[in-house]
Coordinates of all heavy atoms in Angstrom, one line a residue:
M1 N 69.3 -35.2 -1.0 CA 68.1 -34.6 -0.4 C 66.9 -35.5 -0.6 O 66.7 -36.1 -1.6 CB 67.8 -33.2 -1.2 CG 68.8 -32.2 -0.7 SD 68.4 -30.6 -1.5 CE 68.9 -30.9 -3.2
R2 N 66.0 -35.4 0.4 CA 64.8 -36.3 0.4 C 63.7 -35.6 -0.5 O 63.6 -34.4 -0.6 CB 64.3 -36.5 1.8 CG 65.2 -37.5 2.6 CD 64.8 -37.5 4.0 NE 63.4 -37.2 4.3 CZ 62.3 -38.0 4.2 NH1 62.5 -39.2 3.8 NH2 61.1 -37.6 4.6
I3 N 62.9 -36.5 -1.1 CA 61.7 -36.0 -1.8 C 60.5 -36.3 -0.9 O 60.3 -37.3 -0.4 CB 61.5 -36.9 -3.1 CG1 62.7 -36.7 -4.0 CG2 60.2 -36.5 -3.8 CD1 62.7 -37.6 -5.2
E4 N 59.7 -35.2 -0.7 CA 58.5 -35.3 0.0 C 57.4 -35.0 -0.9 O 57.3 -33.9 -1.6 CB 58.5 -34.3 1.2 CG 59.6 -34.6 2.2 CD 59.6 -33.5 3.3 OE1 58.7 -32.8 3.5 OE2 60.7 -33.5 3.9
A5 N 56.4 -35.9 -1.0 CA 55.3 -35.7 -1.9 C 54.0 -36.0 -1.0 O 53.8 -37.0 -0.5 CB 55.3 -36.7 -3.0
N6 N 53.2 -34.9 -0.9 CA 52.0 -35.0 -0.1 C 50.9 -35.4 -1.0 O 50.3 -34.7 -1.8 CB 51.7 -33.6 0.5 CG 50.5 -33.6 1.4 OD1 49.7 -34.6 1.4 ND2 50.4 -32.6 2.3
R7 N 50.6 -36.7 -0.9 CA 49.6 -37.3 -1.8 C 48.2 -36.8 -1.5 O 47.2 -37.0 -2.3 CB 49.6 -38.8 -1.7 CG 50.9 -39.4 -2.4 CD 51.1 -40.9 -2.1 NE 49.9 -41.7 -2.3 CZ 49.5 -42.2 -3.4 NH1 50.2 -42.0 -4.5 NH2 48.4 -42.9 -3.5
D8 N 48.0 -36.2 -0.3 CA 46.7 -35.7 0.1 C 46.3 -34.4 -0.6 O 45.1 -34.1 -0.7 CB 46.6 -35.5 1.6 CG 46.7 -36.8 2.4 OD1 46.3 -37.8 1.8 OD2 47.1 -36.8 3.6
V9 N 47.3 -33.7 -1.0 CA 47.0 -32.4 -1.7 C 47.3 -32.5 -3.2 O 46.9 -31.6 -4.0 CB 47.8 -31.2 -1.1 CG1 47.4 -31.1 0.4 CG2 49.2 -31.3 -1.3
C10 N 47.9 -33.5 -3.7 CA 48.2 -33.7 -5.1 C 46.9 -33.7 -5.9 O 45.9 -34.3 -5.5 CB 48.9 -35.0 -5.3 SG 49.0 -35.5 -7.1
V11 N 46.8 -32.9 -7.0 CA 45.6 -32.8 -7.8 C 45.8 -33.5 -9.1 O 45.0 -33.3 -10.1 CB 45.2 -31.3 -8.1 CG1 44.9 -30.7 -6.7 CG2 46.3 -30.6 -8.8
S12 N 46.8 -34.4 -9.2 CA 47.0 -35.3 -10.3 C 47.2 -34.6 -11.7 O 46.8 -35.0 -12.7 CB 45.7 -36.2 -10.5 OG 45.4 -36.9 -9.3
A13 N 47.9 -33.4 -11.6 CA 48.2 -32.7 -12.8 C 49.2 -33.3 -13.6 O 49.3 -33.0 -14.8 CB 48.6 -31.2 -12.4
G14 N 50.1 -34.1 -13.1 CA 51.1 -34.8 -13.9 C 52.3 -33.9 -14.3 O 53.2 -34.4 -15.0
M15 N 52.4 -32.7 -13.8 CA 53.6 -31.9 -14.2 C 54.9 -32.5 -13.6 O 55.9 -32.3 -14.3 CB 53.4 -30.5 -13.6 CG 52.2 -29.7 -14.2 SD 52.2 -29.7 -16.0 CE 53.5 -28.6 -16.3
C16 N 54.8 -33.1 -12.5 CA 56.0 -33.7 -12.0 C 56.5 -34.8 -12.9 O 57.7 -34.9 -13.1 CB 55.7 -34.3 -10.6 SG 54.3 -35.3 -10.5
V17 N 55.7 -35.6 -13.4 CA 56.1 -36.7 -14.3 C 56.6 -36.2 -15.6 O 57.6 -36.7 -16.1 CB 54.9 -37.7 -14.5 CG1 55.3 -38.8 -15.4 CG2 54.4 -38.3 -13.2
L18 N 56.0 -35.1 -16.1 CA 56.4 -34.5 -17.3 C 57.9 -34.0 -17.2 O 58.7 -34.1 -18.1 CB 55.5 -33.3 -17.7 CG 54.3 -33.7 -18.5 CD1 53.5 -32.4 -18.8 CD2 54.7 -34.3 -19.9
N19 N 58.1 -33.4 -16.0 CA 59.4 -32.7 -15.8 C 60.5 -33.7 -15.3 O 61.7 -33.5 -15.6 CB 59.3 -31.6 -14.8 CG 58.7 -30.3 -15.4 OD1 59.4 -29.6 -16.0 ND2 57.4 -30.2 -15.4
A20 N 60.1 -34.7 -14.6 CA 61.1 -35.6 -14.0 C 60.6 -37.0 -14.0 O 60.3 -37.6 -12.9 CB 61.5 -35.2 -12.6
P21 N 60.5 -37.6 -15.2 CA 59.9 -39.0 -15.3 C 60.7 -40.1 -14.6 O 60.2 -41.1 -14.4 CB 59.7 -39.2 -16.8 CG 60.7 -38.3 -17.4 CD 60.8 -37.1 -16.5
E22 N 62.0 -39.8 -14.4 CA 62.8 -40.8 -13.7 C 62.6 -40.8 -12.2 O 63.0 -41.7 -11.5 CB 64.3 -40.5 -14.0 CG 64.7 -40.6 -15.4 CD 64.5 -39.3 -16.2 OE1 64.0 -38.3 -15.6 OE2 64.9 -39.2 -17.4
V23 N 61.9 -39.8 -11.7 CA 61.8 -39.6 -10.3 C 60.3 -39.7 -9.8 O 60.1 -40.2 -8.7 CB 62.4 -38.2 -9.9 CG1 62.1 -38.0 -8.4 CG2 63.8 -38.2 -10.2
F24 N 59.4 -39.4 -10.7 CA 58.0 -39.4 -10.3 C 57.2 -40.3 -11.2 O 57.4 -40.3 -12.4 CB 57.4 -38.0 -10.3 CG 58.1 -37.0 -9.4 CD1 58.9 -36.0 -9.8 CD2 57.8 -37.1 -8.0 CE1 59.5 -35.2 -9.0 CE2 58.4 -36.2 -7.1 CZ 59.3 -35.2 -7.6
D25 N 56.2 -40.9 -10.6 CA 55.1 -41.6 -11.4 C 53.8 -41.3 -10.8 O 53.7 -40.5 -9.8 CB 55.4 -43.1 -11.3 CG 54.7 -43.9 -12.3 OD1 54.0 -43.3 -13.2 OD2 54.8 -45.2 -12.3
Q26 N 52.7 -41.7 -11.4 CA 51.4 -41.5 -10.9 C 50.7 -42.8 -10.8 O 50.9 -43.7 -11.7 CB 50.6 -40.5 -11.9 CG 51.1 -39.1 -11.9 CD 50.5 -38.3 -13.0 OE1 50.9 -38.4 -14.1 NE2 49.5 -37.5 -12.7
D27 N 49.9 -43.0 -9.8 CA 49.1 -44.2 -9.6 C 47.9 -44.2 -10.6 O 47.7 -43.2 -11.4 CB 48.7 -44.5 -8.2 CG 47.7 -43.5 -7.6 OD1 47.1 -42.7 -8.4 OD2 47.5 -43.4 -6.4
D28 N 47.0 -45.2 -10.5 CA 45.9 -45.3 -11.4 C 45.0 -44.1 -11.3 O 44.2 -43.8 -12.3 CB 45.2 -46.6 -11.2 CG 46.0 -47.8 -11.6 OD1 47.0 -47.6 -12.4 OD2 45.6 -48.9 -11.2
D29 N 45.0 -43.4 -10.2 CA 44.1 -42.3 -10.0 C 44.8 -41.0 -10.4 O 44.3 -39.9 -10.2 CB 43.6 -42.2 -8.5 CG 42.7 -43.3 -8.2 OD1 41.9 -43.7 -9.1 OD2 42.8 -43.8 -7.1
G30 N 46.1 -41.1 -10.8 CA 46.9 -39.9 -11.2 C 47.6 -39.3 -10.0 O 48.2 -38.2 -10.2
V31 N 47.5 -39.8 -8.8 CA 48.2 -39.3 -7.7 C 49.7 -39.6 -7.7 O 50.1 -40.7 -8.0 CB 47.6 -39.8 -6.4 CG1 48.3 -39.2 -5.2 CG2 46.1 -39.4 -6.3
V32 N 50.5 -38.6 -7.4 CA 51.9 -38.7 -7.5 C 52.5 -39.9 -6.6 O 52.0 -40.2 -5.5 CB 52.6 -37.4 -7.1 CG1 52.4 -37.1 -5.6 CG2 54.1 -37.5 -7.3
E33 N 53.4 -40.6 -7.2 CA 54.1 -41.7 -6.5 C 55.6 -41.5 -6.8 O 56.1 -41.8 -7.9 CB 53.7 -43.1 -7.0 CG 52.4 -43.5 -6.5 CD 52.1 -45.0 -6.8 OE1 52.5 -45.4 -7.9 OE2 51.5 -45.6 -6.0
P34 N 56.4 -41.0 -5.8 CA 57.8 -40.9 -6.1 C 58.4 -42.3 -6.3 O 58.0 -43.3 -5.6 CB 58.3 -40.3 -4.8 CG 57.2 -39.6 -4.2 CD 56.0 -40.5 -4.5
L35 N 59.3 -42.4 -7.2 CA 60.0 -43.7 -7.5 C 61.2 -43.9 -6.7 O 61.7 -45.0 -6.5 CB 60.4 -43.7 -9.0 CG 59.2 -43.6 -10.0 CD1 59.7 -43.4 -11.4 CD2 58.3 -44.8 -9.9
V36 N 61.7 -42.8 -6.1 CA 62.9 -42.9 -5.2 C 62.7 -42.0 -4.0 O 61.9 -41.1 -4.0 CB 64.2 -42.5 -6.0 CG1 64.5 -43.4 -7.1 CG2 64.0 -41.1 -6.5
A37 N 63.4 -42.3 -2.9 CA 63.3 -41.5 -1.7 C 64.2 -40.3 -1.7 O 63.8 -39.3 -1.1 CB 63.6 -42.4 -0.5
E38 N 65.3 -40.4 -2.4 CA 66.3 -39.3 -2.4 C 66.4 -38.8 -3.8 O 66.3 -39.6 -4.8 CB 67.6 -39.8 -2.0 CG 67.7 -40.4 -0.6 CD 67.8 -39.4 0.5 OE1 68.4 -38.3 0.2 OE2 67.3 -39.6 1.6
V39 N 66.7 -37.5 -4.0 CA 66.8 -36.9 -5.3 C 68.1 -37.4 -5.9 O 69.2 -37.1 -5.3 CB 66.8 -35.4 -5.2 CG1 67.0 -34.8 -6.6 CG2 65.5 -34.9 -4.6
P40 N 68.1 -38.1 -7.0 CA 69.4 -38.4 -7.7 C 70.1 -37.1 -8.1 O 69.4 -36.3 -8.7 CB 69.0 -39.3 -8.9 CG 67.6 -39.7 -8.6 CD 67.0 -38.6 -7.7
A41 N 71.4 -37.0 -7.9 CA 72.1 -35.8 -8.2 C 71.9 -35.4 -9.6 O 71.7 -34.2 -9.9 CB 73.6 -36.0 -7.8
E42 N 71.9 -36.3 -10.5 CA 71.8 -36.0 -11.9 C 70.4 -35.5 -12.3 O 70.2 -35.0 -13.4 CB 72.2 -37.2 -12.8 CG 71.2 -38.4 -12.7 CD 71.6 -39.4 -11.6 OE1 72.1 -39.0 -10.6 OE2 71.3 -40.6 -11.8
H43 N 69.4 -35.7 -11.4 CA 68.1 -35.2 -11.7 C 67.6 -34.0 -10.8 O 66.4 -33.7 -10.8 CB 67.1 -36.4 -11.5 CG 67.3 -37.5 -12.5 ND1 67.5 -37.3 -13.8 CD2 67.4 -38.8 -12.3 CE1 67.7 -38.5 -14.4 NE2 67.6 -39.4 -13.5
L44 N 68.6 -33.4 -10.1 CA 68.2 -32.3 -9.2 C 67.5 -31.2 -10.0 O 66.5 -30.6 -9.5 CB 69.5 -31.8 -8.5 CG 69.2 -30.7 -7.5 CD1 68.1 -31.1 -6.5 CD2 70.5 -30.3 -6.8
D45 N 68.1 -30.8 -11.1 CA 67.4 -29.7 -11.8 C 66.0 -30.0 -12.3 O 65.1 -29.2 -12.1 CB 68.3 -29.4 -13.1 CG 69.6 -28.7 -12.7 OD1 69.7 -28.3 -11.6 OD2 70.4 -28.5 -13.6
A46 N 65.8 -31.3 -12.7 CA 64.5 -31.7 -13.2 C 63.5 -31.7 -12.0 O 62.4 -31.3 -12.1 CB 64.5 -33.0 -13.9
V47 N 64.0 -32.2 -10.9 CA 63.1 -32.3 -9.7 C 62.8 -30.9 -9.2 O 61.7 -30.6 -8.8 CB 63.8 -33.1 -8.6 CG1 63.0 -33.1 -7.3 CG2 63.9 -34.6 -9.0
T48 N 63.8 -30.0 -9.2 CA 63.5 -28.6 -8.8 C 62.5 -28.0 -9.7 O 61.6 -27.3 -9.2 CB 64.8 -27.8 -8.9 OG1 65.8 -28.4 -8.0 CG2 64.6 -26.4 -8.4
R49 N 62.5 -28.2 -11.0 CA 61.5 -27.7 -11.9 C 60.2 -28.3 -11.5 O 59.1 -27.6 -11.5 CB 61.8 -28.1 -13.3 CG 62.6 -27.0 -14.1 CD 62.5 -27.2 -15.6 NE 62.9 -28.6 -16.0 CZ 64.1 -29.0 -16.2 NH1 65.1 -28.2 -15.9 NH2 64.3 -30.3 -16.6
A50 N 60.1 -29.6 -11.3 CA 58.8 -30.2 -10.9 C 58.2 -29.6 -9.7 O 57.0 -29.4 -9.6 CB 59.1 -31.7 -10.7
V51 N 59.1 -29.3 -8.7 CA 58.6 -28.7 -7.4 C 58.0 -27.3 -7.8 O 56.9 -27.0 -7.3 CB 59.7 -28.6 -6.4 CG1 59.3 -27.8 -5.2 CG2 60.1 -30.0 -5.9
Q52 N 58.7 -26.6 -8.6 CA 58.2 -25.2 -9.0 C 56.9 -25.2 -9.7 O 56.1 -24.3 -9.6 CB 59.3 -24.5 -9.7 CG 60.5 -24.2 -8.9 CD 61.7 -23.7 -9.7 OE1 61.8 -23.9 -10.9 NE2 62.7 -23.1 -9.0
V53 N 56.7 -26.2 -10.6 CA 55.5 -26.1 -11.5 C 54.4 -26.9 -10.9 O 53.2 -26.8 -11.4 CB 55.8 -26.6 -12.9 CG1 56.9 -25.8 -13.5 CG2 56.2 -28.1 -12.9
C54 N 54.6 -27.7 -9.9 CA 53.4 -28.4 -9.3 C 52.4 -27.4 -8.8 O 52.6 -26.6 -8.0 CB 53.9 -29.3 -8.1 SG 52.6 -30.0 -7.2
P55 N 51.2 -27.5 -9.4 CA 50.1 -26.5 -9.1 C 49.6 -26.6 -7.7 O 48.9 -25.7 -7.2 CB 49.1 -26.8 -10.1 CG 49.2 -28.2 -10.5 CD 50.7 -28.5 -10.3
S56 N 49.8 -27.7 -7.0 CA 49.1 -27.9 -5.7 C 50.1 -27.7 -4.5 O 49.7 -27.8 -3.4 CB 48.5 -29.3 -5.6 OG 49.6 -30.3 -5.5
G57 N 51.4 -27.5 -4.8 CA 52.4 -27.4 -3.8 C 52.6 -28.7 -3.0 O 53.0 -28.7 -1.9
A58 N 52.4 -29.8 -3.7 CA 52.5 -31.1 -3.0 C 53.9 -31.6 -2.9 O 54.2 -32.5 -2.1 CB 51.7 -32.2 -3.8
L59 N 54.8 -31.0 -3.6 CA 56.2 -31.5 -3.6 C 57.2 -30.6 -2.9 O 57.1 -29.4 -3.0 CB 56.7 -31.7 -5.1 CG 55.8 -32.5 -6.0 CD1 56.3 -32.5 -7.4 CD2 55.7 -34.0 -5.4
R60 N 58.1 -31.2 -2.2 CA 59.2 -30.5 -1.5 C 60.4 -31.4 -1.6 O 60.3 -32.6 -1.7 CB 58.9 -30.3 0.0 CG 57.8 -29.3 0.3 CD 57.7 -29.0 1.8 NE 56.4 -28.6 2.2 CZ 56.0 -27.4 1.8 NH1 56.7 -26.6 1.1 NH2 54.8 -27.0 2.2
I61 N 61.5 -30.7 -1.6 CA 62.8 -31.4 -1.5 C 63.6 -30.8 -0.4 O 63.4 -29.6 -0.2 CB 63.6 -31.5 -2.8 CG1 63.9 -30.0 -3.3 CG2 63.0 -32.3 -3.8 CD1 64.8 -30.0 -4.5
G62 N 64.3 -31.5 0.3 CA 65.1 -30.9 1.4 C 65.6 -32.0 2.4 O 65.3 -33.2 2.2
G63 N 66.4 -31.5 3.3 CA 67.0 -32.4 4.3 C 68.1 -33.2 3.7 O 68.4 -33.2 2.5
E64 N 68.8 -33.9 4.5 CA 69.9 -34.8 4.0 C 69.4 -36.2 4.1 O 68.5 -36.5 4.9 CB 71.1 -34.6 4.9 CG 71.7 -33.2 4.7 CD 72.2 -33.0 3.2 OE1 72.8 -33.9 2.7 OE2 72.0 -31.9 2.7
Ligands
SF4_101 S1 52.6 -32.0 -10.4 FE1 51.9 -31.9 -8.2 S2 49.7 -32.0 -8.3 FE2 50.5 -32.7 -10.3 S3 50.7 -35.0 -10.1 FE3 52.7 -34.1 -9.5 S4 52.5 -33.8 -7.3 FE4 50.5 -34.1 -8.0

């Protein structure tokens, strides 16, 4: 599944990095930067949590 991160609405809360540090990083301004394009199967639970707790709704996973 692909990771979609809308950097225009990200509010730099960092919850994604806290929940899935292998998949998300933040740039110098704190804006989300996905480290990979596809969700690694072993990190699906962590990424799902990150999507759920992101306060801005910037993150989505889906598609093949
Ligand atoms: S949790 Fe959401 S708002 Fe916070 S840095 Fe990650 S994508 Fe941005």
Side-chain angles (χ1 to χ4, degrees):
M1 286 186 288
R2 284 172 25 85
I3 297 172
E4 296 175 19
N6 186 342
R7 290 170 46 87
D8 292 334
V9 302
C10 172
V11 295
S12 307
M15 298 304 292
C16 51
V17 178
L18 272 179
N19 280 278
E22 297 87 356
V23 175
F24 298 106
D25 197 1
Q26 291 170 279
D27 68 14
D28 290 344
D29 294 322
V31 179
V32 63
E33 281 189 329
L35 298 171
V36 294
E38 301 278 333
V39 180
E42 67 271 31
H43 297 313
L44 178 58
D45 287 350
V47 173
T48 300
R49 268 199 308 279
V51 171
Q52 290 171 342
V53 299
C54 172
S56 69
L59 303 176
R60 289 188 203 290
I61 54 175
E64 291 298 319

